Amino acid sequence: MGTQTAEEGGYTYEYVSGDLMDTRIYTLKNGLKVYLSDYEDAPRVHVFIPVKAGGKNDPADNTGLAHYLEHMMFKGNDKFGTVDYDKEKVYLDSIENMFNHYATLTDDNDRKEYYKLINQVSNDAANLAIPNEYDKMVAGIGGKGLNAYTTTDRTVYTVDIPANELDKFLEFEGVRFNKIVNRLFHTELEAVYEEKNRSLDSDGWKVYEKMYQLAFQKHPYGTQTVIGTIDHLKNPSITEIKNYFGKYYRPNNMAICISGDIDMNSTIQMIDKYFGHLEPNSDLKPWQKVEEEPITEPRTAEVLGPDAESVNIGFRMPGESSKDFMMVTLVDMLLSNSEAGLIDLNLKQQQKVLNAGCYVDNNNDYSMHTFYGNPKDGQQLVEVKNLILEQIDMLKKGEFEDWLIEAVINDLKMNNMRSLESNWSRANKMVMAFTNDIPWEDYISTLDRMEKVTKADIVEFVKNNYKDNYVLVYKKTGEDPNKQKVEKPTITKVPVNRDVKSAFHESILTKETPKTKPVFVDYEKDINKGNVKGKVDILAKKNEENERFQLIYLLDIGSNNDPAMKVAVQYLEFLGTPELSAEELKKEFYKLGCSFSVFAAEDKTYVSLNGLSENMEKAIDLFEKLLANPSPDQEALDKLIGRELKSRDDAKKNKSRILFSGLMNYAQYGAKSPFTNVLSNQELQALKAEDLTEKIKNITQMEHRVLYYGPYELNKLVAVLEQKHNLPETMVPLPPKVEFEQMPTDNPTVYWTNYDMVQTEFIMLSKGNQYDASITPKVRMFNEYFGGGMNSIVFQEIREAQGLAYSVFSSYSTPEKAGEDDVLFAYVGSQADKQPEAMKAMRELLENMPESQDAFEIGKQAILSKIESERVTKSSVLWNYESAKSHDLNYDLRKDVYEQVKTMTFDDLKAFHEVYIKGQSYVTVLVGSHDKINFNDLKNYGEVKELTLEEIFGYDKIEHIDTEL
């Protein structure tokens, strides 16, 4: 490899010979870096715009600025997002001054009264704003995944757009980064408050913050947080945000990173046209790293909260731009690679803990090598800590096999191979290289340098860097004595001006764009079909890109028929064969650069083998031996059962599991559901190893089919499977499927359960009609218009206009297969004291859908642009076919969506709403703290019933369907 320079089309660029992405790196006259890579998987591009400014750049007395600014960048400026900027500016200047005065007030009553004035003036200003106009412009060109994030080191803006719309996008993006206008500030402030409250409800986030506070006592990584302190959130400064933008959002501190179907020359010309005029900040000085004192002994703390217990250990390490970061990555993979690392084999494989692992948090100035572990039932956290540290000591002593380093590097190469198949991943590499100031040649040659590392190098590095120099946080279950919340100020709903456009937006709409024709999957031409011994069908798609393969044995039956099957496939991980122990088997797979997994879903069982194609046949040999003759091990099963019982107990402490799995299933199916159709604790403890191994042996004896994505031609694949895939003389037919029928929701009910949290989260559910493919185009249109992205009705009304939630979405969802029922779904995560307003707002929107012809046209164009530019490729072709088949279709349903949406009118959408949405009754599920829930208001939504965790999870009941595979 080597960095070279070339010139084409009047622009000079750098490139690195041997770069698999063929990346070009340009530097415009104003200092803007541009990374471009042409990848023609689909006529789309992924764009990242990173800024070298994050939480660490916030002033210590005004934290959260970078994050605030990220939010405000979506509000437009003097060109768009406004009806009349000159008139609006008078109000905005007043609001800025008012917030500055507000920060000087100390009396609570004075602050509340003055905030009412801010609210009043802000509402007047909002009459001149066009909320979400930026989001509408992105949606109108078929953008997907529009988002942004702020870390300690960087702020990054991201979106995926059709390649033919790149000129439009760069035009309004160039305008966006030219100037910031902090409009609708007080409602967005509410969204940031909600985001803060969500972090206060997250035990994992509290552990993260505590670890960084222990590790970094001088550096902003630990002395402040990206989202900011509560005191600083209560006293935001628009003036400081504008100053921050003026200082850091300059072209010599930014980059544009694009991977996709692009022409290099025309793309750099467009970027120069729309960004070349931006003025650099010649006074901007490089960030000066804050040096930390060495950690000479463990620094320990404890965090309390409702989640399950864990131990968390962090070693402060060099940042990603350091040469030693490569060594940290290698050490991490030697210890935990999900297959054959020391933690994987010695702790997880031997079931000495409930769970354990490690990862590297790769910041610029310092990284953190973080280790985590969850205890088994009755196990002390200190024991888990010691077991993890023992694995590190083994590295120090060189007690690991020589082949492991080479296998880890091959695994990393495999991951890199997979990442090159994604425009998101390709462009993200550019972001990380740029924001870490790593020359592109160095960034992409890391794996080559790793190949020169010896075992002695590893041992020496671990001895020098992994001592008693760690931070340690014990996460324990209990009430947090320091729990806080950000109180909500009073705000008045602002107008959304949904049918108004700025002159700039109008000019974007008038620009001609070359059309892209959609391409739909042709199941006869795009899929190769074969058969093994006349017994098992093969669906294959050739990998024309690299040497990666995926082989799946797929059964149309799962845990609904036999709840023990879930345990059996978990158990398989701890089994060997008569020739190889479970540990030896894991090692052999990892040496081959391959891995296997077996997963039992509700109605399907997936038996998967993945890895390097050159070793596929050897991996199949190993896999088939394991499936055909697993060696029973009652001791391993008993340990698994003990861990499963602990996992079940921990699940009752997990808010997401309670709401999205437990309560949702209860609302849809009642006490007997796919979620509760598991072995009872008593049945689990009665399992015998031989019974489970028989279930495993039966997998390949039953009717199934093979899905393959890889470089083999079909005839070669058939020959390999004819030789290696063990099949019986006669395939065992599958038993009849067990289905769970959704209950009617015509009896409004509210199911709730208590959880110690700041926010309240609720979901409204309404059972729809049985699946009907003919309404799919209207469903797609309704979801895009009503509850899709940031330009949707739900997002605009509940978050933008009223500031009632950080996270809100709604959809009319169709089932995964024909014969099942649709469901109308609406979710809001809101501050507890906003519960009545949030529930009322969502119900009102569902019942009386706001009408906007402009919003409808934007949604319509968004759907058409997405379908025109998306391509179903690689293994997705197989899954598209599988989805069609499960819906009793023999063609790509996107074709119907495209053709019907083209001619759809707003009257069609209103008719769909009248029939499928309006007037529906709902079952509501809610999780929150009992002392914060407004129960009087809940009665407006039906009979209120508290569910215990035992009722939700049902582990102690024997009510499952007793039909074995």
Side-chain angles (χ1 to χ4, degrees), residues 97-107 110-111 114 235:
N97 292 328
M98 293 175 80
F99 267 108
N100 289 338
H101 177 65
Y102 178 70
T104 68
L105 301 178
T106 55
D107 182 81
D110 290 345
R111 287 173 63 85
Y114 194 75
N235 296 290

Side-chain angles (χ1 to χ4, degrees), residues 743-749 764-768 823-824 843 846-847 916-924 941:
M743 298 193 308
T745 52
D746 49 12
N747 182 25
T749 310
M764 293 178 171
L765 294 161
S766 181
K767 178 179 175 290
V823 61
L824 179 58
R843 187 59 191 267
L846 290 166
E847 192 65 19
Y916 294 93
I917 313 298
K918 189 177 180 66
Q920 302 300 317
S921 56
Y922 297 86
V923 171
T924 302
Y941 301 90

Side-chain angles (χ1 to χ4, degrees), residues 575-735:
L575 298 181
T577 65
E579 296 82 18
L580 294 170
S581 69
E583 181 177 334
E584 290 169 335
L585 200 61
K586 286 270 189 181
K587 291 178 179 178
E588 290 303 313
F589 273 112
Y590 200 63
K591 289 177 185 177
L592 294 172
C594 298
S595 63
F596 73 87
S597 65
V598 183
F599 174 69
E602 293 171 7
D603 60 353
K604 283 184 170 57
T605 300
Y606 303 83
V607 183
S608 304
L609 190 63
N610 304 272
L612 294 170
S613 184
E614 63 185 79
N615 294 327
M616 182 182 79
E617 294 179 36
K618 293 179 181 178
I620 291 176
D621 287 336
L622 287 173
F623 197 32
E624 289 284 344
K625 287 178 182 177
L626 176 62
L627 293 173
N629 198 14
S631 298
D633 185 338
Q634 188 65 40
E635 181 182 0
L637 176 59
D638 291 342
K639 289 180 179 179
L640 175 62
I641 292 169
R643 291 172 58 244
E644 176 62 20
L645 292 172
K646 181 63 165 58
S647 294
R648 290 180 172 190
D649 186 56
D650 288 351
K652 296 176 182 179
K653 301 167 185 172
N654 185 296
K655 179 181 62 176
S656 294
R657 288 277 285 169
I658 293 170
L659 178 63
F660 289 100
S661 297
L663 283 170
M664 267 192 65
N665 270 271
Y666 198 99
Q668 288 182 269
Y669 302 99
K672 297 172 68 173
S673 71
F675 178 70
T676 57
N677 184 40
V678 296
L679 297 180
S680 70
N681 290 348
Q682 182 181 352
E683 289 174 316
L684 192 63
Q685 291 171 303
L687 287 174
K688 299 300 180 187
E690 290 77 10
D691 296 333
L692 294 187
T693 52
E694 284 304 309
K695 291 181 186 294
I696 293 168
K697 291 177 184 178
N698 287 339
I699 289 177
T700 56
Q701 306 301 295
M702 290 185 291
E703 293 175 347
H704 63 275
R705 58 192 174 282
V706 174
L707 275 62
Y708 170 80
Y709 174 69
Y712 276 24
E713 298 288 351
L714 179 62
N715 58 354
K716 184 176 181 181
L717 175 66
V718 170
V720 169
L721 292 176
E722 292 263 357
Q723 178 188 357
K724 299 180 181 296
H725 189 28
N726 297 316
L727 298 174
E729 286 296 320
T730 303
M731 301 299 295
V732 177
L734 299 174

Side-chain angles (χ1 to χ4, degrees), residues 122-142:
S122 296
N123 213 261
D124 292 338
N127 289 310
L128 297 167
I130 308 175
N132 297 100
E133 186 166 34
Y134 174 74
D135 311 311
K136 294 173 185 176
M137 290 193 293
V138 172
I141 64 171

Side-chain angles (χ1 to χ4, degrees), residues 476-532:
K476 296 186 177 180
T477 302
E479 185 173 354
D480 184 355
N482 303 311
K483 60 184 176 183
Q484 310 171 73
K485 64 177 284 189
V486 183
E487 298 290 344
K488 69 161 189 169
T490 301
I491 65 169
T492 305
K493 179 180 176 181
V494 301
V496 293
N497 292 332
R498 195 172 283 116
D499 292 320
V500 180
K501 295 187 189 73
S502 63
F504 179 79
H505 189 179
E506 293 282 7
S507 71
I508 290 291
L509 292 174
T510 60
K511 291 186 71 170
E512 290 293 327
T513 299
K515 295 294 288 183
T516 301
K517 290 185 178 181
V519 176
F520 303 107
V521 182
D522 185 324
Y523 298 144
E524 294 303 315
K525 296 179 180 178
D526 297 335
I527 297 175
N528 296 313
K529 298 177 181 178
N531 193 274
V532 183

